[in-house]
Amino acid sequence: MTTQLDRPRSGVSRRAVLAGMGAGVGLLAAPAIVRAQAESIRIGFPVPLTGPYGAEAKDQVKSAELAVKLMNDKGGIAGRKIELLVRDDKLNAGEAATRTLELIEKDKVHAVVGSLSSAVQLAVNEVTRARGVIYVSISQSDTINEAKDFSKYTFHEALNPHMTTAAVARATFKKGAKIAFLVADYAYGHEMLRGFKRAAAEIGAEVVGEILHPIGAADYSTLMPRIRSMKPDILAICNFGRDQANAIKQANDFGMKKQMQIIVPVLLYNQRIAVAPEVFEGVIGGANYYWELENTVPTAKAFNAAYKAAYGTVPTDYGAYGFTGVSALLLGMEKAGSTDTDKVIDALQSLKYDVAKGPQWFRACDHQSVQSVLVLKSRAKSEMKGDADVFEIIANEAPSEQMLRTCAELGFPT
């Protein structure tokens, strides 16, 4: 059963992108500014500082600034300092296109890293592809890996929905299990739903229903009785940020956790911290990073130490994308010995890097970062050894191109 409470709000709206690029024309007409550090390497960083993903975006900025600081402390790249130019894309595709065009045409950035929405990153992808500028995406998306949206200039640092949903499903689904879905009605939610349904089919689990909700919804109370009537063994909540916290809190209020296992494609540290431990207790989800990796991964220990020294706390999962994404780009520039676009692309395509979570590399056909995938379980309050001890790592799948959809499946020639 599918219920659509609202029509799709996003997907990548080419109209929005073109509107943003049109607005950017005005920027081109503005008087040129004199940059005090013309010799610096400038990295544009559009993220949604305002809106429901604001907490994650601000963490990404902190981690990106740390990556820049560490490189500058080593002397920069070929003697050139790095400068991070942060812009608020307001979680809007048109706004993101305008800010990205501004960064390229007015601020003359050498590359762009950022965006925190699958729809918005596709808008940024279109602008950077049209302008021939390198873009490192740090938000989950399946479509950005597909041939129709592929750009030779774009590298996808974030995990994609296929990777996280498959890992979470392998840890929770069983043959014959009944699965219900609560899904944010936009590109991210749709991609997560597709990933979980694919995994369910492979494992032999049964999909008993799906309900879509608009992004930014505050009230899920009318949906919980309908989900309960489906009698699922597992409820997969496919949304993000405050939506995730609100949905899980209201599922908890309705006593759903006593009747079914709640899973999410991405389990967020910030959202867990924002509510009482009892709300998230037992919830299982995927993640790109959790600070306890420091127990087994030396670079995670070094990243945590540098982050704590700078900000006095542990880095978060989506925040870590800011560090790994910017670090990968800077390592590519360092390897290329230049900011020349073609040379940096060549360097990134052959780069092997380990900056915070173990080995990573970009697959040749789609530029997806191959990396480990964590599956986490939210701890009960009685199990926590401190305020930051919120999750247990129940699986850590090693990086392998086998965890990705094949290049042929994505539409690339074989």
Side-chain angles (χ1 to χ4, degrees):
M1 178 176 66
T2 299
T3 300
Q4 189 166 350
L5 300 180
D6 192 10
R7 301 302 303 169
R9 291 177 139 194
S10 50
V12 175
S13 165
R14 288 184 182 274
R15 180 177 298 173
V17 173
L18 292 172
M21 295 182 74
V25 172
L27 297 170
L28 298 178
I33 63 172
V34 177
R35 284 178 290 279
Q37 292 182 311
E39 76 283 359
S40 65
I41 296 173
R42 293 173 297 282
I43 310 299
F45 201 77
V47 286
L49 297 174
T50 53
Y53 301 171
E56 284 72 26
K58 290 168 186 173
D59 283 347
Q60 289 187 326
V61 172
K62 287 182 180 178
S63 290
E65 289 177 338
L66 178 61
V68 168
K69 178 183 183 301
L70 294 179
M71 185 62 81
N72 281 336
D73 287 348
K74 293 195 305 180
I77 296 175
R80 301 168 67 184
K81 293 293 185 182
I82 299 99
E83 182 182 0
L84 192 74
L85 284 69
V86 180
R87 298 291 183 269
D88 184 4
D89 66 29
K90 301 179 182 178
L91 201 61
N92 176 279
E95 181 75 15
T98 299
R99 298 282 78 81
T100 302
L101 192 62
E102 176 186 51
L103 285 163
I104 294 170
E105 301 290 357
K106 179 182 176 184
D107 298 309
K108 306 296 182 186
V109 295
H110 296 92
V112 175
V113 181
S115 75
L116 213 170
S117 155
S118 50
V120 171
Q121 73 174 311
L122 291 175
V124 175
N125 185 56
E126 287 204 30
V127 174
T128 51
R129 178 167 55 184
R131 292 296 189 274
V133 174
I134 290 174
Y135 171 43
V136 179
S137 170
I138 54 173
S139 176
Q140 287 215 26
S141 172
D142 265 341
T143 57
I144 203 168
N145 294 119
E146 296 172 354
K148 63 181 176 58
D149 284 310
F150 178 74
S151 163
K152 73 172 187 178
Y153 305 101
T154 295
F155 293 79
H156 191 226
E157 168 61 24
L159 297 170
N160 63 45
H162 176 77
M163 298 165 77
T164 55
T165 54
V168 173
R170 281 191 285 270
T172 58
F173 289 6
K174 295 180 180 177
K175 185 176 181 179
K178 297 180 179 178
I179 318 296
F181 295 96
L182 178 62
V183 182
D185 190 10
Y186 75 119
Y188 173 88
H190 299 169
E191 292 178 12
M192 293 297 179
L193 174 63
R194 182 177 64 178
F196 271 133
K197 291 173 77 170
R198 173 185 172 126
E202 291 175 351
I203 294 170
E206 177 187 359
V207 175
V208 295
E210 56 196 64
I211 295 176
L212 307 184
H213 70 79
I215 186 174
D219 184 8
Y220 300 84
S221 61
T222 61
L223 308 180
M224 297 304 167
R226 294 168 52 197
I227 293 171
R228 181 184 286 146
S229 71
M230 299 173 190
K231 299 181 179 179
D233 300 306
I234 294 174
L235 169 60
I237 297 178
C238 301
N239 53 22
F240 193 83
R242 285 203 299 265
D243 287 353
Q244 185 187 90
N246 286 335
I248 292 176
K249 185 176 187 304
Q250 291 184 38
N252 195 57
D253 292 342
F254 275 78
M256 308 282 273
K257 284 197 300 188
K258 297 177 181 176
Q259 301 169 328
M260 60 197 77
Q261 173 68 53
I262 294 179
I263 66 172
V264 293
V266 178
L267 191 54
L268 298 168
Y269 181 90
N270 274 339
Q271 302 314 315
R272 163 57 189 83
I273 291 294
V275 300
E278 294 77 11
V279 173
F280 269 76
E281 179 181 338
V283 173
I284 293 174
N288 59 305
Y289 188 80
Y290 179 52
W291 67 269
E292 279 194 353
L293 272 177
E294 70 178 20
N295 294 332
T296 55
V297 179
T299 51
K301 187 173 184 178
F303 172 43
N304 290 344
Y307 194 93
K308 287 179 183 176
Y311 305 114
T313 185
V314 296
T316 64
D317 33 54
Y318 257 69
Y321 279 138
F323 186 79
T324 58
V326 170
S327 294
L329 172 65
L330 297 181
L331 289 173
M333 290 179 170
E334 187 175 54
K335 182 178 180 180
S338 164
T339 56
D340 178 85
T341 299
D342 290 336
K343 291 180 180 178
V344 176
I345 290 173
D346 288 344
L348 288 172
Q349 287 176 328
S350 60
L351 183 69
K352 305 287 186 183
Y353 59 107
D354 176 1
V355 295
K357 56 174 298 185
Q360 293 183 243
W361 66 94
F362 293 106
R363 185 168 67 168
C365 74
D366 61 349
H367 291 178
Q368 168 62 44
S369 174
V370 183
Q371 58 187 287
S372 60
V373 182
L374 304 180
V375 181
L376 309 176
K377 184 175 184 178
S378 191
R379 293 188 188 279
K381 185 177 181 180
S382 60
E383 299 172 336
M384 294 171 56
K385 298 176 182 177
D387 291 342
D389 185 27
V390 296
F391 297 136
E392 171 191 2
I393 300 175
I394 62 173
N396 184 359
E397 297 198 359
S400 168
E401 296 191 13
Q402 298 300 313
M403 67 171 62
L404 307 177
R405 290 184 293 167
T406 67
C407 298
E409 189 177 357
L410 297 176
F412 293 97
T414 57

